[in-house]
Amino acid sequence: MDYKSYTHPDYFNIDDLLTDEHKLIRKSVREWVNRRLKPVIDEYNHEHKFPEFIVKELGELGAFGPYIPTKYGAAGLDFISYGIIMQELERGDSGIRSVASVQSSLVMYPIYEFGNEEQRQKYLPKLASGEILGAFGLTEPNHGSDPGSMETKIIDKGNHYILNGAKMWITNAPIADIAVVWAKDEAGVVRGLIVEKNMEGFTAPETHNKWSLRASVTGELVFDNVKIPKENVLPNIKGLKGPMMCLNSARYGIAWGVIGAASDCYHTALTYAMERKQFNVPIASFQLNQKKLAEMVTEITKAQLLAWRMGVLKNEGKVTPSQISMCKRNNVETALKVARESRQILGAMGITGEYPIMRHMMNLESVITYEGTHDIHLLITGFDITGIAAFK
Ligand code: TGC
Ligand code: FAD
């Protein structure tokens, strides 16, 4: 597959809405994906291995916490730039975008937003450069969609806390240097803590045998009487809204990111359909294949417009969590449908690693579940328009 010929679909001239800086950022991330990721990602995916070299290189690229101010070593860009970076990375692989979204929105963002100046100075520059990698622990074995019922606890021991409990399905867990972990205090209030990998009683075993996001590492975070110094507690947030605010930022990035996976599938299917012949004509000449391609580009265009408008609202500080939920849900579903339709256009070739479609499709099965499942996001919209929560 000649991935260097890739051009993104832009049926409604959305590029006219981007600045020269946005386009430059897209160009540099796209070039990195073509040069460093595309040639090797299928092999890492097959071997269920994480391409460790990417961590430093994503740091150099400015892909970690791009919207965090430059004084903390990050790029200080706007939110549309963040979206564009996620989109280009996810054209490469959703697992690689995951690494960047977790580091940016789930580790750097809470330290920047809820941490004190000392915590910001200590962790943010190293996270921005990729010198250290982070994880985010919210989900537990017994509490996924309902994080408010978490069992992980801290007990106040004067100058430190004792942390007990377990988190599950945590991106980067086994390879992370630090983890932002959410636990309840003795009053049942959710608090955010920075747990460091060498703390006694803390282990992070890997979750094996995944058929999705195979180039990203997932694991558990297990806390057995871990002593957490009080300076590792995020002082400026209390309650479930803390992790939920982090999720708003990560869901925003995912809503942009999946357009990259969808566009890669669409580009692959269109290119293949023009070249492959059956009955002496290109398969692109059959009406049923044209229907698939036309519907794909229509849905991708709608996803692009939704993401762009969400980006404008976020830049203006006006976007609501429910708008982000709608966009995440719509765009992930679009990407998954596009991947499935593209796979069909390639016939048998679509199931091979010669083409990226099957890998994108398998990855998107995680993306539609993590950061709030497809149905939870629907219920968030339902709650927003009716004022009635249907979660319980
Ligand atoms: P509820 O009672 O509604 O809310 C509790 C408090 O939180 C506030 N809140 C939010 N604040 C900001 N943004 C949001 N999106 C918020 N949602 C809720 C809310 O205002 C309230 O604040 P306060 O001050 O009144 O106490 O909460 P609930 O317990 O009824 O749950 C609601 C529900 C189901 C919508 C929510 O908990 C939810 O979204 N569940 C899904 C869980 C989820 O998304 N987990 C993701 C884990 S991280 C992950 O998947 C990383 S994948 C990484 C990768 O590899 O990319
Ligand atoms: P459950 O909550 O058990 O849901 C199962 C099914 O029931 C779903 O279909 C759901 O929609 C439905 N359901 C649940 N509640 C309701 C309801 N009230 N109404 C209607 N339907 C409902 N978490 C982290 O904290 N950090 C990470 O870094 C992280 N990375 C992840 C990486 C991967 C690869 C995966 C797969 C998951 C990751 N997660 C992470 C966890 C992820 O956020 C959860 O899997 C997700 O929130 C859903 O929780 P669950 O799997 O326990 O499903």
Side-chain angles (χ1 to χ4, degrees):
M1 173 76 201
D2 176 20
Y3 44 82
K4 289 190 180 132
S5 69
Y6 172 81
T7 45
H8 60 278
D10 186 20
Y11 209 78
F12 261 67
N13 303 353
I14 298 169
D15 275 5
D16 292 352
L17 304 168
L18 303 179
T19 63
D20 288 345
E21 190 184 37
H22 292 146
K23 290 178 196 163
L24 204 63
I25 290 164
R26 181 172 66 195
K27 186 166 178 277
S28 77
V29 183
R30 187 171 297 179
E31 276 173 7
W32 180 84
V33 167
N34 281 345
R35 187 167 44 83
R36 298 292 287 152
L37 201 60
K38 280 283 189 182
V40 296
I41 188 63
D42 183 61
E43 200 178 326
Y44 279 98
N45 188 64
H46 259 296
E47 291 179 8
H48 206 330
K49 267 198 182 155
F50 176 63
E52 283 177 27
F53 70 87
I54 67 159
V55 177
K56 268 268 157 73
E57 295 190 21
L58 286 177
E60 283 161 17
L61 209 54
F64 290 149
Y67 52 82
I68 305 276
T70 49
K71 72 172 185 167
Y72 300 109
L77 300 170
D78 72 345
F79 289 102
I80 290 187
S81 304
Y82 176 48
I84 288 170
I85 293 170
M86 297 297 121
Q87 190 169 309
E88 291 304 315
L89 291 180
E90 195 146 358
R91 178 175 76 89
D93 190 83
S94 302
I96 306 310
R97 193 270 306 136
S98 264
V99 173
S101 7
V102 169
Q103 184 93 332
S104 303
S105 287
L106 300 181
V107 180
M108 294 177 72
Y109 168 79
I111 293 174
Y112 174 67
E113 196 64 33
F114 311 135
N116 57 33
E117 198 49 36
E118 216 180 333
Q119 292 167 334
R120 290 170 163 194
Q121 296 288 354
K122 181 172 175 188
Y123 297 108
L124 291 178
K126 288 183 183 168
L127 288 160
S129 68
E131 188 182 335
I132 63 171
L133 191 66
F136 175 86
L138 181 64
T139 305
E140 299 187 352
N142 296 328
H143 308 285
S145 298
D146 177 21
S149 299
M150 69 176 71
E151 294 164 54
T152 300
K153 281 192 178 60
I154 46 171
I155 296 175
D156 195 337
K157 294 285 181 186
N159 68 343
H160 65 271
Y161 287 102
I162 292 292
L163 172 66
N164 276 294
K167 301 288 176 180
M168 199 177 176
W169 296 113
I170 308 304
T171 299
N172 297 343
I175 52 170
D177 301 282
I178 63 168
V180 170
V181 173
W182 301 91
K184 281 187 181 165
D185 66 14
E186 287 143 300
V189 177
V190 174
R191 301 300 309 266
L193 324 161
I194 303 167
V195 180
E196 297 183 6
K197 82 169 167 196
N198 295 326
M199 288 179 169
E200 214 179 314
F202 172 38
T203 47
E206 185 170 352
T207 303
H208 296 286
N209 211 14
K210 289 183 298 165
W211 285 104
S212 176
L213 297 181
R214 288 169 62 84
S216 150
V217 191
T218 313
E220 294 167 52
L221 303 172
V222 183
F223 313 109
D224 180 10
N225 287 316
V226 183
K227 191 172 163 185
I228 307 289
K230 285 215 165 150
E231 65 257 26
N232 282 38
V233 175
L234 297 173
N236 301 323
I237 191 70
K238 282 184 180 174
L240 190 61
K241 70 170 184 259
M244 295 310 297
M245 286 168 70
C246 303
L247 296 185
N248 293 338
S249 178
R251 291 165 176 175
Y252 169 89
I254 290 170
W256 276 89
V258 291
I259 299 170
S263 303
D264 201 34
C265 292
Y266 169 74
H267 172 77
T268 305
L270 179 59
T271 309
Y272 187 88
M274 298 299 286
E275 287 167 2
R276 168 82 173 164
K277 285 191 175 158
Q278 288 294 287
F279 303 94
N280 293 322
V281 289
I283 59 167
S285 60
F286 302 131
Q287 283 188 358
L288 291 176
N289 279 339
Q290 288 195 9
K291 176 176 186 287
K292 287 187 177 68
L293 291 163
E295 284 178 352
M296 279 188 227
V297 77
T298 306
E299 292 309 312
I300 289 173
T301 303
K302 283 150 76 176
Q304 288 169 331
L305 286 164
L306 210 51
W308 175 80
R309 179 64 188 149
M310 178 178 66
V312 171
L313 290 174
K314 192 155 171 67
N315 276 343
E316 292 170 353
K318 289 197 239 165
V319 76
T320 67
S322 316
Q323 287 169 333
I324 295 173
S325 278
M326 182 185 280
C327 195
K328 190 261 183 186
R329 182 176 186 276
N330 179 79
N331 290 10
V332 178
E333 184 176 38
T334 293
L336 203 43
K337 282 185 179 160
V338 167
R340 288 173 181 152
E341 293 291 83
S342 301
R343 218 285 306 146
Q344 291 208 54
I345 288 181
L346 267 73
M349 287 309 288
I351 69 158
T352 70
E354 294 293 306
Y355 296 92
I357 297 174
M358 197 75 184
R359 178 170 47 79
H360 282 311
M361 194 198 298
M362 293 195 301
N363 285 342
L364 290 164
E365 290 292 345
S366 284
V367 182
I368 203 164
T369 286
Y370 69 32
E371 295 281 359
T373 68
H374 198 57
D375 287 344
I376 288 293
H377 287 296
L378 186 83
L379 294 179
I380 290 171
T381 306
F383 181 25
D384 194 46
I385 59 179
T386 65
I388 306 166
F391 304 110
K392 290 171 192 143

